[in-house]
Amino acid sequence: MECVFGLVGDGFAVLAADTSAVNSILVHKSNEDKIMVLDSHKLVAASGEPGDRVQFTEYVQKNVALYQFRNGIPLTTPAAANFMRGELATALRKNPYSVNILLAGYDKETGPSLYFIDYIATLHKVDKGAFGYGSYFSLSIMDRLYRSGMSLEEAIDLVDKCIMEIRSRLVVAPPNFVIKIVDKDGAREYAWRESLKDAPGASA
C-alpha cells in the first residue's frame, strides 16, 4: 500500500512518502526511507518492487555523481529526468524495472521542478503528482487545494491533509511518512509524520 506524492511551491519542491517495507501480509519495518537525495539539489521518491526501487535509484545516483565527476558540472533536473527515462525505456525491452519515480530538483536558472516517470518510461513535467494506492486520495486533495506559488507552510499543510486522508480512508494505511524538500539551499529532510515506531527486538 505504497504512497508517494509531491508538489512544487514558490521556490521549492516537496516530496512525501510512506516508510513501510511490506511483503504480502507482512510488515518488515516502518522506517524505510523511500526518498533518496540524488545530489545536492535533487530528490528522488520511488515506489515499486523493493529490489527494483533500491537498485535503480542507487544506479541513477552513482551515474549522476559520475557525470559530475567527469565533467565538473552537475546534471540539471530535466537532464537527470531524461537520463532516468532513457534507462527505464532501455530496460523495458530487456529486464524491466517495476519502479515509479517522482524527481524533484532545483536549478539556479529555472527554479524548482517536479518530474513524473512511471515504470513504462512515461515522462512528464508536473506541478503535483503521486504514485501508489495513496494517490487515489492525495491527488484528489491536491486537485482541490493546490495552487501555484504556495508558500512552504501552505505546502506542508497540504501534505499533512493528504497524509491524514490516506490514514483515514485507505484500508491498510501506512502509519509513518517522511517529508523532504529541495530549494536554493539544497535537498534535505524536513520532517517525519509518525504514528507508529518500530519496536526493539525481543531480548533472548
Side-chain angles (χ1 to χ4, degrees):
M1 294 292 179
E2 289 191 303
C3 309
V4 173
F5 57 95
L7 57 93
V8 176
D10 183 18
F12 67 92
V14 58
L15 292 175
D18 77 282
T19 60
S20 297
V22 178
N23 181 39
S24 184
I25 61 171
L26 299 178
V27 177
H28 296 293
K29 60 189 294 194
S30 57
N31 60 354
E32 173 80 3
D33 190 350
K34 298 176 184 177
I35 307 178
M36 171 181 278
V37 177
L38 198 60
D39 66 16
S40 63
H41 285 77
K42 295 181 193 67
L43 292 169
V44 172
S47 68
E49 291 295 325
D52 287 353
R53 173 173 55 80
V54 172
Q55 198 276 333
F56 184 73
T57 52
E58 287 186 354
Y59 170 76
V60 170
Q61 183 188 49
K62 304 314 177 194
N63 274 274
V64 167
L66 178 62
Y67 178 91
Q68 184 169 356
F69 179 75
R70 282 177 170 170
N71 298 282
I73 56 171
L75 280 173
T76 64
T77 308
N82 280 280
F83 170 72
M84 286 191 209
R85 189 261 167 203
E87 292 301 310
L88 285 172
T90 300
L92 195 61
R93 277 84 182 171
K94 299 175 181 177
N95 186 22
Y97 293 103
S98 178
V99 62
N100 299 301
I101 300 277
L102 285 177
L103 169 66
Y106 185 92
D107 299 297
K108 287 182 180 179
E109 298 79 11
T110 57
S113 55
L114 180 66
Y115 289 87
F116 170 108
I117 313 164
D118 70 10
Y119 74 102
I120 53 173
T122 301
L123 170 63
H124 285 293
K125 184 179 181 182
V126 295
D127 290 326
K128 57 188 185 298
F131 284 113
Y133 283 107
S135 66
Y136 294 115
F137 309 107
S138 55
L139 282 176
S140 61
I141 295 287
M142 289 191 288
D143 281 342
R144 182 171 185 179
L145 300 177
Y146 174 83
R147 58 178 177 77
S148 60
M150 295 180 84
S151 68
L152 180 58
E153 292 74 19
E154 291 171 329
I156 295 301
D157 183 59
L158 178 53
V159 168
D160 284 336
K161 282 183 169 69
C162 292
I163 291 172
M164 287 175 61
E165 191 72 9
I166 290 166
R167 283 175 173 169
S168 62
R169 299 288 297 279
L170 194 58
V171 64
V172 187
N176 301 337
F177 289 79
V178 61
I179 304 169
K180 296 187 182 183
I181 65 170
V182 57
D183 57 17
K184 61 182 175 58
D185 298 319
R188 61 196 181 276
E189 184 178 296
Y190 181 83
W192 285 68
R193 298 290 188 257
E194 294 181 296
S195 61
L196 175 72
K197 291 188 180 292
D198 275 358
S203 57

